[in-house]
Amino acid sequence: GHAGPGGGGGQRTGLGPGPGIGVLGAQREGQTPPLALLLMDVDFFKEYNDHYGHPQGDVALKAVSHVLNTVSARAIDLAARIGGEEFVLMLPATSQEGAEKMAHTIQQCLADQALPHAKSNVSRYLTVSIGVAMLGSGDESPSALLGRADRALYEAKAGGRNRFVLDRYPAPATLQVQD
């Protein structure tokens, strides 16, 4: 055959850093993987605390925290308690569909825990309201993203609690056609 010393060997240079550079290039152009932010609030938590006492309130918050850590098993997911009864869950590289699924799963898992809540107007058990926001353009600030999740959370509460609402992000002005 014709496969001499230089025939089939060392011709691999084309496979070197090619794909890696492509990925970096895509990120530079602002096509970062989506980021989902879930903001949660325990429903009627003040009433829960008043009825069951603060120690039991802490148990309830730990239960919510446990649910969050259970459902967000990936190392890059971040769950944190940010207020008295508010939790935030950051889900990098998560689509809108994935975020909605996650919100549903959280509520399902919490329902499975069946923590009695005699003073809730929406359930006999402890529930959460969730606001979901997707990172819009890459140049949106974290506080703006949190603000939108907060707005969605407010809507979830106003809409009857024990539900999640997805913030509808307005299309960035730069995408509008100028004539």
Side-chain angles (χ1 to χ4, degrees):
H2 292 283
Q11 300 293 318
R12 302 213 159 181
T13 49
L15 293 177
I21 289 175
V23 170
L24 288 173
Q27 284 192 331
R28 260 206 308 276
E29 284 157 36
Q31 298 165 354
T32 44
L35 168 75
L37 188 72
L38 275 62
L39 194 60
M40 283 148 279
D41 203 64
V42 178
D43 293 324
F44 301 105
F45 187 66
K46 185 189 177 306
E47 291 78 356
Y48 186 93
N49 254 344
D50 292 347
H51 183 71
Y52 295 100
H54 286 277
Q56 185 58 36
D58 285 342
V59 171
L61 292 175
K62 283 198 180 80
V64 174
S65 197
H66 176 71
V67 164
L68 293 187
N69 287 316
T70 305
V71 298
S72 60
R74 299 179 309 169
I76 53 171
D77 299 335
L78 175 71
R81 186 173 155 197
I82 52 171
E85 66 274 24
E86 275 201 335
F87 293 84
V88 64
L89 184 60
M90 271 178 65
L91 303 169
T94 301
S95 66
Q96 179 181 314
E97 186 191 4
E100 291 183 322
K101 210 172 270 174
M102 179 65 88
H104 180 73
T105 303
I106 289 167
Q107 294 185 314
Q108 198 58 57
C109 287
L110 193 59
D112 291 346
Q113 302 267 321
L115 293 157
H117 188 342
K119 297 296 174 185
S120 169
N121 294 349
V122 291
S123 171
R124 288 181 307 156
Y125 301 111
L126 195 74
T127 57
V128 289
S129 298
I130 307 177
V132 182
M134 302 298 299
L135 184 65
S137 54
D139 54 3
E140 185 182 23
S141 70
S143 60
L145 178 65
L146 193 60
R148 289 195 294 107
D150 198 45
R151 191 170 68 198
L153 172 60
Y154 178 81
E155 280 178 37
K157 286 177 171 178
R161 301 179 199 248
N162 190 21
R163 65 189 61 217
F164 66 88
V165 168
L166 177 78
D167 176 71
R168 299 284 168 201
Y169 184 66
T174 48
L175 290 185
Q176 290 169 0
V177 180
Q178 306 291 330
D179 28 29

PDB file of all heavy atoms in Angstrom, residues 61-74 77-81 87-89 102 106:
ATOM      1  N   LEU A  61     -38.573  25.416  57.647  1.00  0.00           N
ATOM      2  CA  LEU A  61     -37.613  26.021  56.714  1.00  0.00           C
ATOM      3  C   LEU A  61     -36.532  25.019  56.322  1.00  0.00           C
ATOM      4  O   LEU A  61     -36.100  24.972  55.170  1.00  0.00           O
ATOM      5  CB  LEU A  61     -36.976  27.267  57.339  1.00  0.00           C
ATOM      6  CG  LEU A  61     -37.922  28.456  57.543  1.00  0.00           C
ATOM      7  CD1 LEU A  61     -37.204  29.576  58.267  1.00  0.00           C
ATOM      8  CD2 LEU A  61     -38.479  28.957  56.216  1.00  0.00           C
ATOM      9  N   LYS A  62     -36.123  24.206  57.284  1.00  0.00           N
ATOM     10  CA  LYS A  62     -35.120  23.170  56.981  1.00  0.00           C
ATOM     11  C   LYS A  62     -35.689  22.153  56.002  1.00  0.00           C
ATOM     12  O   LYS A  62     -34.981  21.643  55.137  1.00  0.00           O
ATOM     13  CB  LYS A  62     -34.672  22.467  58.271  1.00  0.00           C
ATOM     14  CG  LYS A  62     -33.706  23.281  59.111  1.00  0.00           C
ATOM     15  CD  LYS A  62     -32.967  22.409  60.122  1.00  0.00           C
ATOM     16  CE  LYS A  62     -31.993  23.241  60.950  1.00  0.00           C
ATOM     17  NZ  LYS A  62     -32.650  23.977  62.051  1.00  0.00           N
ATOM     18  N   ALA A  63     -36.974  21.874  56.135  1.00  0.00           N
ATOM     19  CA  ALA A  63     -37.626  20.927  55.227  1.00  0.00           C
ATOM     20  C   ALA A  63     -37.640  21.475  53.808  1.00  0.00           C
ATOM     21  O   ALA A  63     -37.364  20.753  52.845  1.00  0.00           O
ATOM     22  CB  ALA A  63     -39.050  20.638  55.703  1.00  0.00           C
ATOM     23  N   VAL A  64     -37.943  22.768  53.676  1.00  0.00           N
ATOM     24  CA  VAL A  64     -37.934  23.410  52.358  1.00  0.00           C
ATOM     25  C   VAL A  64     -36.516  23.375  51.787  1.00  0.00           C
ATOM     26  O   VAL A  64     -36.298  23.031  50.624  1.00  0.00           O
ATOM     27  CB  VAL A  64     -38.435  24.871  52.445  1.00  0.00           C
ATOM     28  CG1 VAL A  64     -38.278  25.571  51.094  1.00  0.00           C
ATOM     29  CG2 VAL A  64     -39.892  24.911  52.889  1.00  0.00           C
ATOM     30  N   SER A  65     -35.569  23.704  52.642  1.00  0.00           N
ATOM     31  CA  SER A  65     -34.160  23.708  52.240  1.00  0.00           C
ATOM     32  C   SER A  65     -33.735  22.319  51.762  1.00  0.00           C
ATOM     33  O   SER A  65     -33.037  22.170  50.760  1.00  0.00           O
ATOM     34  CB  SER A  65     -33.308  24.133  53.441  1.00  0.00           C
ATOM     35  OG  SER A  65     -32.034  24.512  53.024  1.00  0.00           O
ATOM     36  N   HIS A  66     -34.188  21.305  52.487  1.00  0.00           N
ATOM     37  CA  HIS A  66     -33.859  19.923  52.138  1.00  0.00           C
ATOM     38  C   HIS A  66     -34.442  19.560  50.768  1.00  0.00           C
ATOM     39  O   HIS A  66     -33.775  18.924  49.949  1.00  0.00           O
ATOM     40  CB  HIS A  66     -34.392  18.977  53.208  1.00  0.00           C
ATOM     41  CG  HIS A  66     -34.184  17.532  52.891  1.00  0.00           C
ATOM     42  ND1 HIS A  66     -32.942  16.942  52.915  1.00  0.00           N
ATOM     43  CD2 HIS A  66     -35.057  16.562  52.493  1.00  0.00           C
ATOM     44  CE1 HIS A  66     -33.064  15.663  52.568  1.00  0.00           C
ATOM     45  NE2 HIS A  66     -34.332  15.417  52.302  1.00  0.00           N
ATOM     46  N   VAL A  67     -35.675  19.988  50.530  1.00  0.00           N
ATOM     47  CA  VAL A  67     -36.319  19.734  49.240  1.00  0.00           C
ATOM     48  C   VAL A  67     -35.499  20.371  48.117  1.00  0.00           C
ATOM     49  O   VAL A  67     -35.225  19.749  47.091  1.00  0.00           O
ATOM     50  CB  VAL A  67     -37.773  20.274  49.218  1.00  0.00           C
ATOM     51  CG1 VAL A  67     -38.302  20.367  47.801  1.00  0.00           C
ATOM     52  CG2 VAL A  67     -38.671  19.386  50.065  1.00  0.00           C
ATOM     53  N   LEU A  68     -35.085  21.623  48.328  1.00  0.00           N
ATOM     54  CA  LEU A  68     -34.320  22.333  47.304  1.00  0.00           C
ATOM     55  C   LEU A  68     -33.010  21.617  47.002  1.00  0.00           C
ATOM     56  O   LEU A  68     -32.622  21.469  45.850  1.00  0.00           O
ATOM     57  CB  LEU A  68     -34.023  23.768  47.745  1.00  0.00           C
ATOM     58  CG  LEU A  68     -35.224  24.690  47.875  1.00  0.00           C
ATOM     59  CD1 LEU A  68     -34.757  26.113  48.151  1.00  0.00           C
ATOM     60  CD2 LEU A  68     -36.069  24.658  46.625  1.00  0.00           C
ATOM     61  N   ASN A  69     -32.335  21.182  48.056  1.00  0.00           N
ATOM     62  CA  ASN A  69     -31.055  20.509  47.853  1.00  0.00           C
ATOM     63  C   ASN A  69     -31.230  19.131  47.226  1.00  0.00           C
ATOM     64  O   ASN A  69     -30.333  18.631  46.561  1.00  0.00           O
ATOM     65  CB  ASN A  69     -30.294  20.411  49.174  1.00  0.00           C
ATOM     66  CG  ASN A  69     -29.737  21.763  49.597  1.00  0.00           C
ATOM     67  OD1 ASN A  69     -29.190  22.492  48.787  1.00  0.00           O
ATOM     68  ND2 ASN A  69     -29.906  22.108  50.861  1.00  0.00           N
ATOM     69  N   THR A  70     -32.396  18.537  47.445  1.00  0.00           N
ATOM     70  CA  THR A  70     -32.670  17.225  46.866  1.00  0.00           C
ATOM     71  C   THR A  70     -32.951  17.333  45.369  1.00  0.00           C
ATOM     72  O   THR A  70     -32.427  16.568  44.568  1.00  0.00           O
ATOM     73  CB  THR A  70     -33.875  16.561  47.567  1.00  0.00           C
ATOM     74  OG1 THR A  70     -33.611  16.512  48.966  1.00  0.00           O
ATOM     75  CG2 THR A  70     -34.090  15.153  47.055  1.00  0.00           C
ATOM     76  N   VAL A  71     -33.787  18.314  45.009  1.00  0.00           N
ATOM     77  CA  VAL A  71     -34.175  18.418  43.599  1.00  0.00           C
ATOM     78  C   VAL A  71     -33.081  19.053  42.746  1.00  0.00           C
ATOM     79  O   VAL A  71     -32.977  18.782  41.553  1.00  0.00           O
ATOM     80  CB  VAL A  71     -35.495  19.213  43.410  1.00  0.00           C
ATOM     81  CG1 VAL A  71     -36.633  18.506  44.114  1.00  0.00           C
ATOM     82  CG2 VAL A  71     -35.366  20.637  43.889  1.00  0.00           C
ATOM     83  N   SER A  72     -32.248  19.906  43.347  1.00  0.00           N
ATOM     84  CA  SER A  72     -31.179  20.534  42.563  1.00  0.00           C
ATOM     85  C   SER A  72     -29.866  19.828  42.864  1.00  0.00           C
ATOM     86  O   SER A  72     -29.015  20.344  43.579  1.00  0.00           O
ATOM     87  CB  SER A  72     -31.063  22.024  42.900  1.00  0.00           C
ATOM     88  OG  SER A  72     -30.761  22.194  44.274  1.00  0.00           O
ATOM     89  N   ALA A  73     -29.753  18.632  42.327  1.00  0.00           N
ATOM     90  CA  ALA A  73     -28.635  17.769  42.700  1.00  0.00           C
ATOM     91  C   ALA A  73     -27.319  18.122  41.999  1.00  0.00           C
ATOM     92  O   ALA A  73     -26.259  17.675  42.413  1.00  0.00           O
ATOM     93  CB  ALA A  73     -28.999  16.316  42.421  1.00  0.00           C
ATOM     94  N   ARG A  74     -27.386  18.917  40.921  1.00  0.00           N
ATOM     95  CA  ARG A  74     -26.152  19.205  40.193  1.00  0.00           C
ATOM     96  C   ARG A  74     -25.235  20.110  41.012  1.00  0.00           C
ATOM     97  O   ARG A  74     -25.707  20.981  41.744  1.00  0.00           O
ATOM     98  CB  ARG A  74     -26.461  19.901  38.863  1.00  0.00           C
ATOM     99  CG  ARG A  74     -27.302  19.075  37.917  1.00  0.00           C
ATOM    100  CD  ARG A  74     -27.572  19.852  36.648  1.00  0.00           C
ATOM    101  NE  ARG A  74     -28.088  21.187  36.939  1.00  0.00           N
ATOM    102  CZ  ARG A  74     -28.209  22.146  36.020  1.00  0.00           C
ATOM    103  NH1 ARG A  74     -27.862  21.922  34.777  1.00  0.00           N
ATOM    104  NH2 ARG A  74     -28.687  23.336  36.341  1.00  0.00           N
ATOM    105  N   ASP A  77     -25.774  23.941  40.647  1.00  0.00           N
ATOM    106  CA  ASP A  77     -26.979  24.580  41.152  1.00  0.00           C
ATOM    107  C   ASP A  77     -26.692  25.180  42.525  1.00  0.00           C
ATOM    108  O   ASP A  77     -25.907  24.640  43.291  1.00  0.00           O
ATOM    109  CB  ASP A  77     -28.120  23.561  41.281  1.00  0.00           C
ATOM    110  CG  ASP A  77     -28.487  22.946  39.939  1.00  0.00           C
ATOM    111  OD1 ASP A  77     -28.237  23.605  38.913  1.00  0.00           O
ATOM    112  OD2 ASP A  77     -28.999  21.828  39.914  1.00  0.00           O
ATOM    113  N   LEU A  78     -27.334  26.285  42.806  1.00  0.00           N
ATOM    114  CA  LEU A  78     -27.106  26.943  44.083  1.00  0.00           C
ATOM    115  C   LEU A  78     -28.429  27.276  44.753  1.00  0.00           C
ATOM    116  O   LEU A  78     -29.241  28.005  44.195  1.00  0.00           O
ATOM    117  CB  LEU A  78     -26.300  28.233  43.857  1.00  0.00           C
ATOM    118  CG  LEU A  78     -26.077  29.096  45.097  1.00  0.00           C
ATOM    119  CD1 LEU A  78     -25.100  28.415  46.049  1.00  0.00           C
ATOM    120  CD2 LEU A  78     -25.562  30.471  44.716  1.00  0.00           C
ATOM    121  N   ALA A  79     -28.633  26.719  45.926  1.00  0.00           N
ATOM    122  CA  ALA A  79     -29.837  27.019  46.700  1.00  0.00           C
ATOM    123  C   ALA A  79     -29.427  27.788  47.944  1.00  0.00           C
ATOM    124  O   ALA A  79     -28.445  27.450  48.590  1.00  0.00           O
ATOM    125  CB  ALA A  79     -30.560  25.731  47.089  1.00  0.00           C
ATOM    126  N   ALA A  80     -30.163  28.831  48.266  1.00  0.00           N
ATOM    127  CA  ALA A  80     -29.823  29.621  49.439  1.00  0.00           C
ATOM    128  C   ALA A  80     -31.072  30.235  50.048  1.00  0.00           C
ATOM    129  O   ALA A  80     -32.049  30.515  49.352  1.00  0.00           O
ATOM    130  CB  ALA A  80     -28.836  30.725  49.065  1.00  0.00           C
ATOM    131  N   ARG A  81     -31.014  30.455  51.349  1.00  0.00           N
ATOM    132  CA  ARG A  81     -32.100  31.156  52.032  1.00  0.00           C
ATOM    133  C   ARG A  81     -31.692  32.615  52.107  1.00  0.00           C
ATOM    134  O   ARG A  81     -30.601  32.936  52.569  1.00  0.00           O
ATOM    135  CB  ARG A  81     -32.263  30.569  53.429  1.00  0.00           C
ATOM    136  CG  ARG A  81     -33.448  31.127  54.184  1.00  0.00           C
ATOM    137  CD  ARG A  81     -33.618  30.372  55.487  1.00  0.00           C
ATOM    138  NE  ARG A  81     -34.320  31.213  56.460  1.00  0.00           N
ATOM    139  CZ  ARG A  81     -34.333  30.975  57.756  1.00  0.00           C
ATOM    140  NH1 ARG A  81     -33.670  29.956  58.240  1.00  0.00           N
ATOM    141  NH2 ARG A  81     -35.001  31.789  58.573  1.00  0.00           N
ATOM    142  N   PHE A  87     -36.381  31.783  49.718  1.00  0.00           N
ATOM    143  CA  PHE A  87     -35.266  30.988  49.220  1.00  0.00           C
ATOM    144  C   PHE A  87     -35.033  31.344  47.762  1.00  0.00           C
ATOM    145  O   PHE A  87     -35.963  31.703  47.043  1.00  0.00           O
ATOM    146  CB  PHE A  87     -35.593  29.489  49.296  1.00  0.00           C
ATOM    147  CG  PHE A  87     -35.722  28.960  50.692  1.00  0.00           C
ATOM    148  CD1 PHE A  87     -36.923  29.076  51.384  1.00  0.00           C
ATOM    149  CD2 PHE A  87     -34.653  28.341  51.321  1.00  0.00           C
ATOM    150  CE1 PHE A  87     -37.059  28.596  52.676  1.00  0.00           C
ATOM    151  CE2 PHE A  87     -34.774  27.845  52.616  1.00  0.00           C
ATOM    152  CZ  PHE A  87     -35.970  27.979  53.287  1.00  0.00           C
ATOM    153  N   VAL A  88     -33.795  31.228  47.346  1.00  0.00           N
ATOM    154  CA  VAL A  88     -33.500  31.448  45.933  1.00  0.00           C
ATOM    155  C   VAL A  88     -32.760  30.214  45.415  1.00  0.00           C
ATOM    156  O   VAL A  88     -31.953  29.610  46.125  1.00  0.00           O
ATOM    157  CB  VAL A  88     -32.664  32.736  45.716  1.00  0.00           C
ATOM    158  CG1 VAL A  88     -31.284  32.637  46.359  1.00  0.00           C
ATOM    159  CG2 VAL A  88     -32.541  33.050  44.233  1.00  0.00           C
ATOM    160  N   LEU A  89     -33.078  29.842  44.197  1.00  0.00           N
ATOM    161  CA  LEU A  89     -32.419  28.700  43.561  1.00  0.00           C
ATOM    162  C   LEU A  89     -31.908  29.169  42.208  1.00  0.00           C
ATOM    163  O   LEU A  89     -32.680  29.636  41.378  1.00  0.00           O
ATOM    164  CB  LEU A  89     -33.405  27.536  43.389  1.00  0.00           C
ATOM    165  CG  LEU A  89     -32.861  26.235  42.818  1.00  0.00           C
ATOM    166  CD1 LEU A  89     -31.751  25.665  43.690  1.00  0.00           C
ATOM    167  CD2 LEU A  89     -33.978  25.202  42.698  1.00  0.00           C
ATOM    168  N   MET A 102     -38.667  22.286  37.207  1.00  0.00           N
ATOM    169  CA  MET A 102     -38.053  22.324  38.533  1.00  0.00           C
ATOM    170  C   MET A 102     -39.015  22.927  39.554  1.00  0.00           C
ATOM    171  O   MET A 102     -39.160  22.423  40.663  1.00  0.00           O
ATOM    172  CB  MET A 102     -36.759  23.125  38.468  1.00  0.00           C
ATOM    173  CG  MET A 102     -36.058  23.256  39.804  1.00  0.00           C
ATOM    174  SD  MET A 102     -35.472  21.666  40.442  1.00  0.00           S
ATOM    175  CE  MET A 102     -33.860  21.590  39.663  1.00  0.00           C
ATOM    176  N   ILE A 106     -40.384  21.015  42.849  1.00  0.00           N
ATOM    177  CA  ILE A 106     -40.219  21.536  44.210  1.00  0.00           C
ATOM    178  C   ILE A 106     -41.565  21.488  44.939  1.00  0.00           C
ATOM    179  O   ILE A 106     -41.662  21.019  46.073  1.00  0.00           O
ATOM    180  CB  ILE A 106     -39.677  22.982  44.189  1.00  0.00           C
ATOM    181  CG1 ILE A 106     -38.211  22.985  43.751  1.00  0.00           C
ATOM    182  CG2 ILE A 106     -39.834  23.642  45.559  1.00  0.00           C
ATOM    183  CD1 ILE A 106     -37.668  24.365  43.396  1.00  0.00           C
TER     184      ILE A 106
END
